[in-house]
Amino acid sequence: MAGNGDGLRENEADRGAFRRHRTLFRAAERRRNPPLRRTDITVTDERAVRRAVKAASLGNAMEWFDFGIYSYLAVTIGHVFFPSGNGTVELLASFATFAVSFLVRPLGGMVFGPMGDKIGRKTVLAMTMIMMAIGTFAIGLIPSYTAIGFWAPALLIFFRLVQGFSTGGEYGGASTFIAEYAPDRRRGFFGSFLELGTLAGYVGAAGLVTVLTTVLGSGGMESWGWRVPFLVAGPIGLVGLYLRLRLDETPAFQKLEDASVHRASEAASAVETTAKGDIAKIFRQYWPSLVLCVCLVGAYNITDYMLLSYMPTYLSDELGYSETNGLLILIGTMVVLMLLINQVGRLSDRIGRKPVLMTGMLGFLLLSVPAFLLVGQGGAVAVTAGMLMLGLSLVCMLGTMSAALPALFPTEVRYGSLSIGYNLATSLFGGTTPLVITALISATGSELMPAYYAMAAALVGVVSVACMKETARRPLAGSPPAVATAEEAARMVESQAPAPKF
């Protein structure tokens, strides 16, 4: 009781002090939370934003072009690089090699991510582009198993590891790059171009494989045709590298760097810090956001890889579809998603990230089984309808995730945190999806296993979206507000000015 009495007297004393020194207390509060000045607000350059979006998206397109061609050529690669025998064993070996590159992605994220927070986003993104292009181009030069035996799969695995290591710094950097360039009110729209690059890479890979298969046939593809898509990655990588080297560093990172040289204004100091993130700091201080990122990305990646990477193999191996027909249906589905994705990003700016993401997760949870039952009927119309049901659910995530994920972390650790969280989830759940589904179907004999796997992932996604904060139309954590025009900045400052007293 005595303790409670002491607390009441202290509260009364505080209130009394505030009444006696009201002006002093208000001045102290304004010092702790100063109003933003005009110089604290970043006014984005529309042309610079579009250049940044183009360079980041092309790199992402190349990444998924590389992974797409491997997925769509999985059967052929199984024949070329592994001893002939059981077809299922060859396919499993091919998908295991696909998955092995994902094992080193977290290592790449742990190296490139914190590096991007220390030396800048632009430099690291150029490095990852070079490594990805070299790894993919080299795969196209490897002799077959019949020519060099054991060394063929060994070299394939090595260059897949090079690809995976470089990719560890790609998505986290590209999404951070766009998010830090874009104005707050349009981050969803500009971020959606990153996943437009994903779909463009997949469509380019599927289209090229389809044309080559049609022209060369199975024999020609196994003989030399499979090499062409991998060799094409070299010139694409040079173009992407040129675009990235022409960019300036992101405004948010520049402000963070300036703060370490010049003392920032009081308002900027309130929202920025100069400490650079390292791995220990990320796991120690930001683990709740890291766990949320892993859960969101895991749910998203399982559904993404299931539809965009595994589905052609499912149609050909489980339903007896020709590889060409399966790829054509997938290409049609992805073209529809490409037409919608920017509108989904714009919608997330208007109504928020959470409602759009939740729609996608619930779509997979409720529609996966009906969609696979339609696909299982085998007719072109039924297969297309089933894939579109899944695709429309997926586009809700594709159009929103690249704006939602960077907002989970503050500027000084954003690249590192996002790279680590994204690649841990992708390593555990994304790249293993084709292998896990193939093994589950083989073990159970049920052709609905992909649907059940997607539903389990979507359930985790629903809980994760419910736990995340809404970040649409708000400044990134650790960065000052970013607006599209000087007039918008002036209105923002004016809105914070105190009302005159008479």
Side-chain angles (χ1 to χ4, degrees), residues 85-165:
N86 186 293
T88 302
V89 172
E90 286 182 354
L91 185 62
L92 282 170
S94 178
F95 277 140
T97 309
F98 176 79
V100 77
S101 69
F102 288 82
L103 297 177
V104 296
R105 283 185 67 156
L107 296 178
M110 290 179 185
V111 171
F112 289 121
M115 190 187 300
D117 287 326
K118 288 187 175 73
I119 66 174
R121 285 70 163 115
K122 170 187 169 180
T123 303
V124 175
L125 282 173
M127 293 167 58
T128 60
M129 175 68 78
I130 293 171
M131 288 185 66
M132 173 62 78
I134 291 173
T136 307
F137 186 81
I139 289 175
L141 301 176
I142 302 174
S144 68
Y145 183 86
T146 55
I148 60 173
F150 161 79
W151 289 106
L155 287 171
L156 176 64
I157 290 171
F158 172 76
F159 287 116
R160 288 291 294 165
L161 291 174
V162 171
Q163 283 183 320
F165 188 76

Side-chain angles (χ1 to χ4, degrees), residues 5-225:
D6 291 342
L8 289 172
R9 283 194 292 273
E10 287 177 8
N11 289 336
E12 289 172 2
D14 289 344
R15 286 195 292 269
F18 179 78
R19 283 194 298 270
R20 289 192 303 273
H21 307 287
R22 196 182 302 269
T23 303
L24 183 61
F25 273 86
R26 284 177 175 166
E29 180 63 23
R30 283 177 65 82
R31 187 170 183 82
R32 282 196 302 267
N33 299 291
L36 284 168
R37 301 172 185 173
R38 169 60 188 82
T39 53
D40 299 326
I41 300 173
T42 300
V43 179
T44 59
D45 180 348
E46 180 82 8
R47 288 176 297 180
V49 174
R50 293 188 179 277
R51 284 199 303 271
V53 168
K54 186 187 302 181
S57 300
L58 181 62
N60 209 47
M62 178 186 163
E63 174 190 344
W64 296 111
F65 176 85
D66 296 344
F67 280 93
I69 54 181
Y70 193 96
S71 300
Y72 304 143
L73 290 170
V75 175
T76 302
I77 288 173
H79 294 328
V80 172
F81 284 99
F82 299 98
S84 59
N86 186 293
T88 302
V89 172
E90 286 182 354
L91 185 62
L92 282 170
S94 178
F95 277 140
T97 309
F98 176 79
V100 77
S101 69
F102 288 82
L103 297 177
V104 296
R105 283 185 67 156
L107 296 178
M110 290 179 185
V111 171
F112 289 121
M115 190 187 300
D117 287 326
K118 288 187 175 73
I119 66 174
R121 285 70 163 115
K122 170 187 169 180
T123 303
V124 175
L125 282 173
M127 293 167 58
T128 60
M129 175 68 78
I130 293 171
M131 288 185 66
M132 173 62 78
I134 291 173
T136 307
F137 186 81
I139 289 175
L141 301 176
I142 302 174
S144 68
Y145 183 86
T146 55
I148 60 173
F150 161 79
W151 289 106
L155 287 171
L156 176 64
I157 290 171
F158 172 76
F159 287 116
R160 288 291 294 165
L161 291 174
V162 171
Q163 283 183 320
F165 188 76
S166 64
T167 305
E170 176 62 35
Y171 182 90
S175 57
T176 294
F177 205 80
I178 292 178
E180 291 182 350
Y181 254 107
D184 296 333
R185 291 181 177 273
R186 301 186 70 194
R187 190 173 300 118
F189 172 69
F190 285 116
S192 66
F193 281 92
L194 189 65
E195 297 296 358
L196 180 65
T198 297
L199 292 171
Y202 272 126
V203 168
L208 183 56
V209 170
T210 301
V211 169
L212 288 170
T213 303
T214 302
V215 173
L216 301 177
S218 298
M221 285 298 289
E222 286 194 24
S223 174
W224 62 273

